[in-house]
Amino acid sequence: MVWLIDLVLLLAGFVLWSRANNEGDEAWSLFLRSIAFLDLAFITFGNGQLLIEIPALALALALPSAASLDRRRT
């Protein structure tokens, strides 16, 4: 069961990394990559700190893209 949770979190981290690659804004892309890197580091070295991993990843996946933020301003 723990492997399944880690696999889902790993997949979500890679989704976040690929989302960062598709962003047009470099600062936003760097921010998303750093969150993805921290998530993957927690999965690898955190020994199952799910109370940290899951909320941080959910917050990162819920963040809007830089393009949608620009549309809101205008």
Side-chain angles (χ1 to χ4, degrees):
M1 184 68 175
V2 174
W3 286 99
L4 181 63
I5 293 171
D6 283 344
L7 183 63
V8 168
L9 291 173
L10 185 67
L11 180 64
F14 284 129
V15 166
L16 188 60
W17 188 271
S18 68
R19 181 179 162 195
N21 288 335
N22 294 333
E23 285 292 330
D25 188 13
E26 292 176 9
W28 193 252
S29 177
L30 181 64
F31 177 70
L32 290 176
R33 284 183 186 158
S34 64
I35 291 175
F37 177 76
L38 287 174
D39 174 59
L40 296 175
F42 273 123
I43 291 170
T44 305
F45 303 115
N47 295 328
Q49 298 292 328
L50 294 178
L51 294 177
I52 297 171
E53 294 172 13
I54 293 174
L57 190 60
L59 175 69
L61 290 173
L63 290 172
S65 67
S68 68
L69 290 175
D70 281 340
R71 284 191 299 253
R72 286 183 190 172
R73 287 185 197 160
T74 59

